């Protein structure tokens, strides 16, 4: 990730976790393609959130795609892309 992209992702997740409690996260129908020490996965996700200020429940779902690589016996996420509903 470029430095600017990494900072944006960090801000986005900091805001999400500051405003919501994560109640559940599920990956479904994952399909994997392997290439050497790397793998790409795609499928669907479902996320259940609860707002910290008023307890409102929210469910978010969509498509997710990511690439992982095994380095030094650790699995590292190299890229992640997912649908996120617009505010509204």
């Amino acid at each position: 990730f470029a430095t600017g992209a990494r900072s944006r992702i960090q801000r986005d997740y900091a805001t999400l976790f500051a405003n919501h409690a994560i109640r559940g996260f599920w990956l479904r129908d994952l399909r994997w393609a392997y290439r050497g020490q790397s793998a790409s996965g795609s499928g669907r996700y479902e996320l259940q959130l609860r707002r910290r200020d008023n307890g409102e429940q929210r469910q978010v779902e969509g498509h997710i795609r990511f690439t992982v690589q095994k380095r030094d016996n650790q699995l590292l996420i190299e890229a992640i892309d997912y649908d996120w509903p617009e505010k509204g």
Side-chain angles (χ1 to χ4, degrees):
F1 293 110
T3 303
R6 188 178 302 255
S7 295
R8 181 182 50 80
I9 292 166
Q10 188 175 18
R11 279 192 313 273
D12 288 350
Y13 279 101
T15 300
L16 176 69
F17 292 126
N19 293 324
H20 296 87
I22 308 302
R23 307 298 293 169
F25 176 69
W26 298 271
L27 296 172
R28 305 195 193 290
D29 303 322
L30 287 179
R31 293 189 177 95
W32 289 95
Y34 300 94
R35 180 177 289 170
Q37 295 291 310
S38 294
S40 296
S42 65
R44 297 196 50 79
Y45 76 91
E46 180 182 333
L47 180 63
Q48 290 184 354
L49 306 167
R50 183 181 50 79
R51 285 197 56 88
R52 293 187 187 279
D53 59 357
N54 64 12
E56 178 184 337
Q57 300 277 340
R58 181 175 180 198
Q59 182 170 314
V60 179
E61 51 188 271
H63 291 91
I64 189 167
R65 294 166 297 287
F66 47 94
T67 303
V68 296
Q69 185 173 57
K70 188 174 182 181
R71 264 192 245 150
D72 300 325
N73 287 327
Q74 290 186 325
L75 194 61
L76 306 173
I77 298 173
E78 291 187 319
I80 188 167
D81 183 40
Y82 49 88
D83 302 332
W84 189 262
E86 296 297 321
K87 291 180 181 177

Coordinates of all heavy atoms in Angstrom, one line a residue:
F1 N 0.8 -1.2 0.0 CA 0.0 0.0 0.0 C 0.9 1.2 0.0 O 1.9 1.3 0.7 CB -0.9 0.1 1.3 CG -1.9 -1.0 1.3 CD1 -1.8 -2.0 2.3 CD2 -3.0 -1.0 0.5 CE1 -2.8 -3.0 2.3 CE2 -4.0 -2.0 0.6 CZ -3.9 -2.9 1.5
A2 N 0.5 2.2 -0.7 CA 1.2 3.5 -0.7 C 0.9 4.2 0.7 O -0.1 3.9 1.3 CB 0.7 4.4 -1.8
T3 N 1.8 5.1 1.1 CA 1.7 5.7 2.4 C 0.3 6.4 2.5 O -0.3 6.3 3.5 CB 2.8 6.7 2.6 OG1 4.0 6.0 2.5 CG2 2.7 7.3 4.0
G4 N -0.1 7.2 1.5 CA -1.4 7.9 1.6 C -2.6 6.9 1.7 O -3.5 7.2 2.5
A5 N -2.5 5.8 1.0 CA -3.6 4.8 1.0 C -3.6 4.2 2.4 O -4.7 4.0 3.0 CB -3.4 3.8 0.0
R6 N -2.5 3.9 2.9 CA -2.4 3.3 4.3 C -3.0 4.2 5.3 O -3.7 3.7 6.2 CB -0.9 2.9 4.6 CG -0.8 2.1 5.8 CD 0.7 1.7 6.1 NE 1.2 1.0 5.0 CZ 1.5 -0.3 4.9 NH1 1.2 -1.0 6.0 NH2 1.9 -0.9 3.9
S7 N -2.7 5.5 5.3 CA -3.2 6.4 6.2 C -4.7 6.6 6.1 O -5.4 6.6 7.1 CB -2.6 7.8 6.0 OG -1.2 7.8 6.2
R8 N -5.2 6.5 4.9 CA -6.7 6.6 4.7 C -7.4 5.4 5.3 O -8.4 5.5 5.9 CB -7.0 6.7 3.2 CG -8.5 6.9 2.9 CD -8.8 6.9 1.4 NE -8.2 5.9 0.6 CZ -8.6 4.7 0.5 NH1 -9.7 4.3 1.2 NH2 -7.9 3.8 -0.2
I9 N -6.8 4.2 5.0 CA -7.4 3.0 5.6 C -7.4 3.0 7.1 O -8.3 2.7 7.7 CB -6.6 1.8 5.0 CG1 -6.9 1.6 3.5 CG2 -7.0 0.5 5.8 CD1 -5.9 0.7 2.8
Q10 N -6.2 3.5 7.6 CA -6.1 3.6 9.1 C -7.2 4.5 9.7 O -7.8 4.2 10.7 CB -4.7 4.0 9.5 CG -4.4 4.0 10.9 CD -3.0 4.3 11.2 OE1 -2.3 4.9 10.4 NE2 -2.5 3.9 12.4
R11 N -7.4 5.6 9.0 CA -8.4 6.6 9.5 C -9.8 6.0 9.4 O -10.6 6.1 10.3 CB -8.4 7.9 8.7 CG -7.3 8.9 9.1 CD -7.5 10.2 8.5 NE -7.8 10.2 7.0 CZ -6.8 10.2 6.1 NH1 -5.6 10.2 6.4 NH2 -7.2 10.1 4.8
D12 N -10.1 5.3 8.3 CA -11.4 4.7 8.1 C -11.7 3.7 9.2 O -12.8 3.7 9.7 CB -11.5 4.0 6.7 CG -11.6 5.0 5.5 OD1 -11.8 6.3 5.8 OD2 -11.5 4.6 4.4
Y13 N -10.8 2.8 9.4 CA -11.0 1.8 10.4 C -11.1 2.4 11.8 O -11.8 1.9 12.7 CB -10.0 0.7 10.3 CG -10.3 -0.3 9.3 CD1 -9.7 -0.3 8.0 CD2 -11.3 -1.3 9.5 CE1 -10.0 -1.2 7.0 CE2 -11.6 -2.2 8.5 CZ -11.0 -2.1 7.3 OH -11.3 -3.0 6.3
A14 N -10.3 3.4 12.1 CA -10.3 4.0 13.5 C -11.7 4.6 13.7 O -12.3 4.5 14.8 CB -9.2 5.1 13.6
T15 N -12.3 5.3 12.7 CA -13.6 5.8 12.8 C -14.6 4.7 13.0 O -15.5 4.8 13.8 CB -13.9 6.7 11.5 OG1 -13.0 7.7 11.4 CG2 -15.3 7.2 11.6
L16 N -14.5 3.7 12.2 CA -15.5 2.5 12.3 C -15.5 2.0 13.7 O -16.5 1.8 14.4 CB -15.2 1.4 11.3 CG -16.0 0.2 11.4 CD1 -17.5 0.4 11.0 CD2 -15.4 -1.0 10.6
F17 N -14.3 1.7 14.3 CA -14.2 1.1 15.6 C -14.5 2.1 16.7 O -15.0 1.7 17.8 CB -12.8 0.5 15.8 CG -12.6 -0.7 14.9 CD1 -11.5 -0.8 14.1 CD2 -13.5 -1.8 14.9 CE1 -11.3 -1.9 13.3 CE2 -13.3 -2.9 14.1 CZ -12.2 -3.0 13.3
A18 N -14.3 3.4 16.5 CA -14.7 4.4 17.5 C -16.2 4.5 17.6 O -16.7 4.7 18.7 CB -14.0 5.7 17.2
N19 N -16.9 4.3 16.5 CA -18.3 4.6 16.5 C -19.2 3.3 16.6 O -20.4 3.4 16.9 CB -18.8 5.2 15.2 CG -18.2 6.7 15.1 OD1 -18.1 7.4 16.1 ND2 -17.8 7.1 13.9
H20 N -18.6 2.1 16.4 CA -19.4 0.9 16.4 C -18.7 -0.2 17.2 O -17.4 -0.3 17.2 CB -19.6 0.4 15.0 CG -20.4 1.3 14.1 ND1 -19.8 2.3 13.4 CD2 -21.7 1.3 13.8 CE1 -20.7 2.9 12.7 NE2 -21.9 2.3 13.0
A21 N -19.4 -1.1 17.8 CA -18.9 -2.4 18.3 C -19.2 -3.4 17.2 O -20.3 -3.4 16.7 CB -19.7 -2.7 19.6
I22 N -18.2 -4.2 16.9 CA -18.4 -5.3 15.9 C -19.1 -6.5 16.7 O -18.5 -7.0 17.6 CB -17.1 -5.7 15.3 CG1 -16.3 -4.5 14.8 CG2 -17.3 -6.8 14.3 CD1 -17.0 -3.7 13.8
R23 N -20.3 -6.8 16.2 CA -21.0 -7.9 16.8 C -20.8 -9.3 16.1 O -20.9 -10.3 16.7 CB -22.5 -7.6 16.8 CG -22.9 -6.2 17.4 CD -22.5 -6.1 18.8 NE -23.4 -7.0 19.6 CZ -23.2 -7.3 20.9 NH1 -22.2 -6.8 21.5 NH2 -24.0 -8.2 21.5
G24 N -20.4 -9.2 14.9 CA -20.1 -10.5 14.1 C -19.5 -10.1 12.8 O -19.8 -9.1 12.2
F25 N -18.7 -11.0 12.3 CA -18.1 -10.9 11.0 C -18.0 -12.3 10.4 O -17.4 -13.2 11.0 CB -16.7 -10.2 11.1 CG -16.0 -10.1 9.7 CD1 -16.5 -9.3 8.8 CD2 -14.9 -10.9 9.5 CE1 -15.8 -9.2 7.5 CE2 -14.2 -10.8 8.3 CZ -14.7 -10.0 7.3
W26 N -18.6 -12.5 9.2 CA -18.6 -13.8 8.5 C -18.1 -13.6 7.1 O -18.5 -12.7 6.4 CB -20.0 -14.4 8.6 CG -20.4 -14.7 9.9 CD1 -20.2 -15.8 10.7 CD2 -21.2 -13.8 10.8 NE1 -20.8 -15.7 11.9 CE2 -21.4 -14.4 12.0 CE3 -21.7 -12.5 10.6 CZ2 -22.1 -13.8 13.0 CZ3 -22.4 -11.9 11.6 CH2 -22.6 -12.6 12.8
L27 N -17.3 -14.6 6.6 CA -17.0 -14.7 5.2 C -17.7 -15.9 4.7 O -17.7 -17.0 5.3 CB -15.5 -14.9 5.1 CG -14.6 -13.7 5.5 CD1 -13.1 -14.1 5.5 CD2 -14.9 -12.5 4.6
R28 N -18.3 -15.8 3.5 CA -19.1 -16.9 2.9 C -18.7 -17.1 1.4 O -18.2 -16.2 0.7 CB -20.5 -16.5 2.9 CG -21.0 -16.2 4.3 CD -22.5 -16.3 4.4 NE -23.1 -15.7 5.6 CZ -23.0 -16.2 6.8 NH1 -22.3 -17.2 7.0 NH2 -23.6 -15.5 7.8
D29 N -18.8 -18.3 1.0 CA -18.6 -18.7 -0.4 C -17.3 -18.2 -0.9 O -17.1 -17.8 -2.1 CB -19.7 -18.1 -1.3 CG -21.1 -18.5 -0.8 OD1 -21.3 -19.7 -0.4 OD2 -22.0 -17.7 -0.9
L30 N -16.2 -18.4 -0.1 CA -14.9 -18.0 -0.6 C -14.4 -19.0 -1.6 O -14.5 -20.2 -1.5 CB -13.9 -18.0 0.6 CG -14.1 -16.9 1.6 CD1 -13.1 -17.0 2.7 CD2 -13.9 -15.5 0.9
R31 N -13.7 -18.4 -2.6 CA -13.1 -19.2 -3.7 C -11.6 -18.7 -3.7 O -11.4 -17.5 -3.7 CB -13.7 -18.9 -5.0 CG -15.1 -19.5 -5.1 CD -15.7 -19.5 -6.5 NE -17.0 -20.1 -6.5 CZ -18.1 -19.4 -6.4 NH1 -18.1 -18.1 -6.2 NH2 -19.3 -20.1 -6.4
W32 N -10.7 -19.6 -3.8 CA -9.3 -19.3 -3.7 C -8.6 -19.7 -5.0 O -8.8 -20.7 -5.6 CB -8.6 -20.1 -2.5 CG -9.1 -19.5 -1.2 CD1 -10.1 -20.0 -0.4 CD2 -8.5 -18.4 -0.5 NE1 -10.2 -19.3 0.7 CE2 -9.2 -18.3 0.7 CE3 -7.5 -17.6 -0.8 CZ2 -9.0 -17.3 1.7 CZ3 -7.2 -16.6 0.2 CH2 -7.9 -16.5 1.4
A33 N -7.6 -18.8 -5.3 CA -6.7 -19.1 -6.4 C -5.3 -19.0 -5.8 O -4.9 -18.0 -5.2 CB -6.9 -18.1 -7.6
Y34 N -4.4 -20.0 -6.0 CA -3.1 -20.1 -5.4 C -2.0 -19.9 -6.5 O -2.2 -20.4 -7.6 CB -2.9 -21.4 -4.7 CG -3.9 -21.7 -3.6 CD1 -5.0 -22.4 -3.9 CD2 -3.7 -21.2 -2.4 CE1 -6.0 -22.6 -2.9 CE2 -4.6 -21.4 -1.4 CZ -5.7 -22.2 -1.7 OH -6.7 -22.4 -0.7
R35 N -1.0 -19.1 -6.1 CA 0.1 -18.9 -7.0 C 1.4 -18.8 -6.1 O 1.6 -17.7 -5.5 CB 0.0 -17.6 -7.8 CG 1.1 -17.4 -8.8 CD 0.9 -16.2 -9.6 NE -0.1 -16.4 -10.6 CZ -0.6 -15.6 -11.4 NH1 -0.3 -14.3 -11.3 NH2 -1.6 -15.9 -12.2
G36 N 2.1 -19.9 -6.0 CA 3.3 -19.9 -5.2 C 3.0 -19.6 -3.8 O 2.2 -20.3 -3.2
Q37 N 3.6 -18.6 -3.2 CA 3.4 -18.3 -1.8 C 2.2 -17.3 -1.6 O 2.0 -16.9 -0.5 CB 4.7 -17.6 -1.2 CG 5.9 -18.6 -1.1 CD 5.6 -19.6 0.0 OE1 5.3 -19.4 1.1 NE2 5.8 -20.9 -0.4
S38 N 1.6 -16.9 -2.7 CA 0.4 -16.0 -2.6 C -0.9 -16.7 -2.9 O -0.9 -17.8 -3.6 CB 0.6 -14.9 -3.7 OG 1.7 -14.1 -3.3
A39 N -2.0 -16.1 -2.5 CA -3.3 -16.6 -2.8 C -4.2 -15.5 -2.9 O -4.1 -14.5 -2.1 CB -3.8 -17.6 -1.7
S40 N -5.2 -15.6 -3.7 CA -6.3 -14.6 -3.9 C -7.6 -15.2 -3.5 O -7.9 -16.3 -4.0 CB -6.3 -14.0 -5.3 OG -5.1 -13.3 -5.6
G41 N -8.4 -14.6 -2.7 CA -9.7 -15.1 -2.3 C -10.8 -14.1 -2.7 O -10.6 -12.9 -2.6
S42 N -11.9 -14.6 -3.0 CA -13.1 -13.7 -3.2 C -14.3 -14.4 -2.8 O -14.4 -15.7 -2.7 CB -13.2 -13.3 -4.7 OG -13.5 -14.5 -5.5
G43 N -15.3 -13.6 -2.3 CA -16.6 -14.2 -1.8 C -17.4 -13.1 -1.3 O -17.4 -12.0 -1.8
R44 N -18.2 -13.4 -0.3 CA -19.1 -12.4 0.3 C -18.8 -12.3 1.8 O -18.3 -13.2 2.4 CB -20.6 -12.9 0.1 CG -21.0 -13.0 -1.3 CD -22.4 -13.1 -1.6 NE -23.2 -12.0 -0.9 CZ -23.4 -10.8 -1.3 NH1 -22.7 -10.3 -2.4 NH2 -24.2 -9.9 -0.6
Y45 N -19.1 -11.1 2.3 CA -18.9 -10.9 3.8 C -20.3 -10.4 4.3 O -21.1 -9.8 3.7 CB -17.8 -9.9 4.0 CG -18.2 -8.4 3.8 CD1 -18.8 -7.6 4.8 CD2 -18.0 -7.9 2.5 CE1 -19.1 -6.3 4.5 CE2 -18.4 -6.6 2.2 CZ -19.0 -5.8 3.2 OH -19.3 -4.5 3.0
E46 N -20.4 -10.6 5.6 CA -21.5 -10.1 6.4 C -20.9 -9.5 7.7 O -20.2 -10.2 8.4 CB -22.6 -11.2 6.7 CG -23.7 -10.7 7.5 CD -24.7 -11.8 7.8 OE1 -24.8 -12.8 7.0 OE2 -25.4 -11.7 8.8
L47 N -21.3 -8.3 8.1 CA -20.8 -7.6 9.2 C -22.0 -7.1 10.0 O -22.9 -6.5 9.5 CB -19.9 -6.5 8.8 CG -19.2 -5.6 9.8 CD1 -18.3 -6.4 10.7 CD2 -18.5 -4.5 9.2
Q48 N -22.0 -7.4 11.3 CA -23.1 -6.9 12.2 C -22.4 -5.9 13.2 O -21.5 -6.2 13.9 CB -23.8 -8.0 13.0 CG -24.6 -8.9 12.1 CD -25.4 -10.0 12.8 OE1 -25.2 -10.2 14.0 NE2 -26.2 -10.7 12.1
L49 N -23.0 -4.7 13.2 CA -22.5 -3.6 14.0 C -23.5 -3.1 15.0 O -24.7 -3.2 14.7 CB -22.1 -2.4 13.0 CG -21.2 -2.7 11.9 CD1 -21.2 -1.5 10.9 CD2 -19.8 -3.0 12.4
R50 N -23.0 -2.5 16.0 CA -23.9 -1.8 17.0 C -23.3 -0.5 17.3 O -22.1 -0.4 17.7 CB -24.1 -2.6 18.3 CG -25.0 -1.9 19.3 CD -25.2 -2.7 20.6 NE -23.9 -3.1 21.2 CZ -23.1 -2.2 21.9 NH1 -23.5 -1.0 22.1 NH2 -22.0 -2.7 22.4
R51 N -24.0 0.6 17.0 CA -23.5 2.0 17.3 C -23.2 2.1 18.8 O -24.0 1.7 19.6 CB -24.5 3.0 16.9 CG -24.5 3.2 15.3 CD -25.1 4.5 14.9 NE -24.5 5.7 15.5 CZ -23.4 6.3 15.0 NH1 -22.9 5.9 13.9 NH2 -22.9 7.4 15.6
R52 N -22.1 2.7 19.1 CA -21.7 3.0 20.5 C -22.6 4.0 21.2 O -22.8 3.9 22.4 CB -20.3 3.3 20.6 CG -19.3 2.2 20.2 CD -17.9 2.5 20.5 NE -17.0 1.5 19.9 CZ -16.7 0.4 20.5 NH1 -17.3 0.1 21.7 NH2 -15.9 -0.5 20.0
D53 N -23.1 5.0 20.4 CA -23.8 6.1 21.1 C -25.3 5.8 21.4 O -25.8 6.3 22.4 CB -23.7 7.4 20.2 CG -24.2 7.3 18.8 OD1 -24.6 6.1 18.4 OD2 -24.2 8.3 18.1
N54 N -25.9 5.1 20.5 CA -27.3 4.8 20.7 C -27.8 3.4 20.6 O -28.9 3.0 20.7 CB -28.2 5.7 19.7 CG -28.0 5.3 18.3 OD1 -27.4 4.2 18.0 ND2 -28.5 6.1 17.4
G55 N -26.8 2.5 20.4 CA -27.1 1.0 20.4 C -27.8 0.5 19.1 O -28.2 -0.6 19.1
E56 N -28.0 1.4 18.2 CA -28.6 1.0 16.9 C -27.8 -0.1 16.2 O -26.6 0.0 16.1 CB -28.7 2.2 16.0 CG -29.3 1.9 14.6 CD -29.3 3.1 13.7 OE1 -29.2 4.2 14.2 OE2 -29.3 2.9 12.5
Q57 N -28.6 -1.2 15.8 CA -27.9 -2.3 15.1 C -27.9 -2.0 13.6 O -28.9 -1.4 13.1 CB -28.8 -3.6 15.4 CG -28.9 -3.9 16.9 CD -27.6 -4.7 17.4 OE1 -26.9 -5.3 16.6 NE2 -27.5 -4.7 18.7
R58 N -26.9 -2.5 13.0 CA -26.8 -2.4 11.5 C -26.1 -3.6 11.0 O -25.2 -4.2 11.6 CB -25.9 -1.2 11.2 CG -25.8 -0.9 9.7 CD -25.1 0.4 9.4 NE -25.0 0.6 8.0 CZ -24.1 1.4 7.4 NH1 -23.3 2.1 8.2 NH2 -24.1 1.5 6.1
Q59 N -26.6 -4.1 9.8 CA -26.0 -5.2 9.1 C -25.5 -4.7 7.8 O -26.2 -4.1 7.1 CB -27.0 -6.4 9.0 CG -26.4 -7.6 8.3 CD -27.3 -8.8 8.3 OE1 -27.9 -9.1 9.3 NE2 -27.4 -9.4 7.2
V60 N -24.3 -5.1 7.5 CA -23.6 -4.6 6.2 C -23.2 -5.9 5.5 O -22.6 -6.8 6.2 CB -22.4 -3.7 6.5 CG1 -21.8 -3.3 5.2 CG2 -22.8 -2.5 7.3
E61 N -23.4 -6.0 4.2 CA -23.0 -7.2 3.5 C -22.6 -6.8 2.1 O -23.0 -5.8 1.6 CB -24.0 -8.3 3.5 CG -25.4 -7.9 3.1 CD -26.3 -9.1 3.3 OE1 -26.5 -9.9 2.4 OE2 -26.9 -9.2 4.4
G62 N -21.7 -7.6 1.5 CA -21.3 -7.3 0.1 C -20.2 -8.3 -0.3 O -20.0 -9.3 0.3
H63 N -19.6 -7.9 -1.4 CA -18.5 -8.7 -2.0 C -17.1 -8.3 -1.4 O -16.9 -7.1 -1.1 CB -18.4 -8.6 -3.5 CG -19.6 -9.2 -4.2 ND1 -20.7 -8.5 -4.5 CD2 -19.8 -10.4 -4.6 CE1 -21.6 -9.2 -5.1 NE2 -21.1 -10.5 -5.2
I64 N -16.2 -9.3 -1.2 CA -14.9 -9.0 -0.7 C -13.9 -9.8 -1.6 O -14.1 -10.9 -2.0 CB -14.8 -9.4 0.8 CG1 -13.5 -8.9 1.4 CG2 -15.0 -10.9 1.0 CD1 -13.4 -8.9 2.9
R65 N -12.7 -9.1 -1.8 CA -11.6 -9.7 -2.5 C -10.4 -9.4 -1.8 O -10.2 -8.2 -1.4 CB -11.6 -9.2 -4.0 CG -12.8 -9.6 -4.8 CD -12.9 -8.8 -6.1 NE -13.1 -7.4 -5.9 CZ -14.2 -6.8 -5.5 NH1 -15.3 -7.5 -5.2 NH2 -14.3 -5.5 -5.4
F66 N -9.5 -10.3 -1.6 CA -8.2 -10.0 -1.0 C -7.1 -10.9 -1.5 O -7.3 -12.0 -2.1 CB -8.3 -10.0 0.5 CG -9.0 -11.3 1.1 CD1 -8.3 -12.4 1.5 CD2 -10.4 -11.3 1.2 CE1 -8.9 -13.5 2.0 CE2 -11.0 -12.4 1.8 CZ -10.3 -13.5 2.1
T67 N -5.9 -10.4 -1.3 CA -4.7 -11.2 -1.7 C -3.8 -11.3 -0.4 O -3.7 -10.4 0.3 CB -3.9 -10.5 -2.8 OG1 -4.7 -10.3 -3.9 CG2 -2.7 -11.3 -3.2
V68 N -3.4 -12.6 -0.2 CA -2.5 -12.8 1.0 C -1.2 -13.4 0.5 O -1.1 -14.0 -0.6 CB -3.2 -13.7 2.0 CG1 -4.4 -13.1 2.6 CG2 -3.6 -15.1 1.4
Q69 N -0.2 -13.3 1.3 CA 1.1 -13.9 1.0 C 1.7 -14.5 2.3 O 1.6 -13.9 3.4 CB 2.1 -12.9 0.4 CG 3.4 -13.5 0.0 CD 4.2 -12.5 -0.8 OE1 4.6 -11.5 -0.2 NE2 4.6 -12.8 -2.0
K70 N 2.3 -15.7 2.1 CA 3.0 -16.3 3.3 C 4.4 -15.9 3.3 O 5.2 -16.1 2.3 CB 2.9 -17.8 3.2 CG 3.4 -18.6 4.4 CD 3.1 -20.0 4.3 CE 3.6 -20.8 5.5 NZ 3.3 -22.2 5.4
R71 N 4.9 -15.3 4.4 CA 6.3 -14.8 4.5 C 6.7 -15.2 5.9 O 6.1 -14.8 6.9 CB 6.4 -13.3 4.4 CG 6.8 -12.9 3.0 CD 7.1 -11.5 2.9 NE 6.2 -10.8 2.1 CZ 5.8 -9.5 2.2 NH1 6.3 -8.8 3.2 NH2 4.9 -9.1 1.4
D72 N 7.8 -15.9 6.0 CA 8.4 -16.3 7.3 C 7.3 -17.0 8.2 O 7.2 -16.6 9.4 CB 9.0 -15.1 8.0 CG 10.1 -14.4 7.3 OD1 10.9 -15.1 6.6 OD2 10.2 -13.2 7.3
N73 N 6.6 -17.9 7.6 CA 5.5 -18.6 8.3 C 4.4 -17.8 8.9 O 3.7 -18.2 9.8 CB 6.1 -19.5 9.4 CG 6.9 -20.7 8.8 OD1 6.5 -21.2 7.8 ND2 7.9 -21.1 9.5
Q74 N 4.2 -16.6 8.3 CA 3.1 -15.7 8.7 C 2.3 -15.4 7.5 O 2.8 -15.3 6.4 CB 3.6 -14.4 9.3 CG 4.3 -14.5 10.6 CD 4.6 -13.2 11.2 OE1 5.0 -12.2 10.5 NE2 4.5 -13.0 12.5
L75 N 1.0 -15.2 7.6 CA 0.1 -14.9 6.6 C -0.1 -13.4 6.6 O -0.6 -12.9 7.6 CB -1.2 -15.6 6.7 CG -2.1 -15.6 5.5 CD1 -1.4 -16.3 4.3 CD2 -3.4 -16.3 5.8
L76 N 0.2 -12.7 5.5 CA 0.1 -11.2 5.5 C -0.9 -10.8 4.4 O -0.9 -11.3 3.3 CB 1.5 -10.6 5.1 CG 2.7 -11.0 6.0 CD1 3.9 -10.4 5.4 CD2 2.4 -10.5 7.4
I77 N -1.8 -9.9 4.8 CA -2.7 -9.4 3.8 C -2.0 -8.3 2.9 O -1.5 -7.3 3.5 CB -4.0 -8.8 4.5 CG1 -4.7 -9.9 5.3 CG2 -4.9 -8.1 3.4 CD1 -5.8 -9.3 6.1
E78 N -2.0 -8.6 1.7 CA -1.3 -7.6 0.7 C -2.3 -6.6 0.2 O -2.0 -5.5 -0.1 CB -0.7 -8.3 -0.4 CG 0.5 -9.2 0.0 CD 1.2 -9.7 -1.2 OE1 0.5 -10.2 -2.2 OE2 2.5 -9.7 -1.2
A79 N -3.5 -7.0 -0.1 CA -4.6 -6.2 -0.7 C -5.9 -6.6 -0.2 O -6.1 -7.8 0.0 CB -4.4 -6.2 -2.2
I80 N -6.8 -5.7 -0.1 CA -8.2 -6.0 0.3 C -9.1 -5.0 -0.4 O -8.8 -3.8 -0.5 CB -8.4 -6.1 1.8 CG1 -9.8 -6.6 2.1 CG2 -8.2 -4.7 2.4 CD1 -10.0 -7.0 3.6
D81 N -10.2 -5.5 -1.0 CA -11.2 -4.6 -1.6 C -12.6 -5.2 -1.3 O -12.8 -6.4 -1.4 CB -10.9 -4.6 -3.1 CG -11.8 -3.7 -3.9 OD1 -12.1 -2.6 -3.4 OD2 -12.3 -4.1 -5.0
Y82 N -13.5 -4.3 -1.0 CA -14.8 -4.8 -0.6 C -15.9 -3.7 -0.9 O -15.5 -2.5 -1.0 CB -14.9 -5.2 0.8 CG -14.4 -4.2 1.8 CD1 -15.2 -3.2 2.3 CD2 -13.0 -4.2 2.2 CE1 -14.6 -2.2 3.2 CE2 -12.5 -3.3 3.0 CZ -13.3 -2.3 3.5 OH -12.8 -1.3 4.4
D83 N -17.1 -4.1 -1.2 CA -18.2 -3.2 -1.3 C -18.6 -2.7 0.0 O -18.6 -3.4 1.0 CB -19.4 -3.9 -1.9 CG -19.2 -4.6 -3.2 OD1 -18.3 -4.2 -3.9 OD2 -19.9 -5.6 -3.5
W84 N -18.9 -1.4 0.1 CA -19.3 -0.8 1.4 C -20.5 0.1 1.0 O -20.3 1.0 0.1 CB -18.2 0.0 2.1 CG -18.6 0.5 3.4 CD1 -19.1 1.7 3.8 CD2 -18.6 -0.3 4.6 NE1 -19.3 1.7 5.1 CE2 -19.1 0.5 5.7 CE3 -18.2 -1.6 4.9 CZ2 -19.2 0.1 7.0 CZ3 -18.3 -2.1 6.2 CH2 -18.8 -1.2 7.2
P85 N -21.6 0.0 1.6 CA -22.8 0.8 1.3 C -22.5 2.3 1.5 O -21.8 2.6 2.5 CB -23.9 0.3 2.2 CG -23.2 -0.4 3.3 CD -21.9 -0.9 2.8
E86 N -23.0 3.1 0.7 CA -22.9 4.6 0.9 C -23.6 5.0 2.1 O -24.6 4.4 2.5 CB -23.4 5.3 -0.4 CG -22.7 5.0 -1.6 CD -21.3 5.5 -1.6 OE1 -21.0 6.6 -1.1 OE2 -20.4 4.8 -2.1
K87 N -23.2 6.1 2.7 CA -23.9 6.6 3.9 C -25.3 7.0 3.4 O -25.5 7.5 2.4 CB -23.1 7.9 4.4 CG -21.8 7.5 5.0 CD -21.1 8.8 5.5 CE -19.8 8.5 6.1 NZ -19.0 9.6 6.5
G88 N -26.2 6.9 4.4 CA -27.5 7.3 4.0 C -28.5 6.7 5.0 O -28.3 6.0 5.9

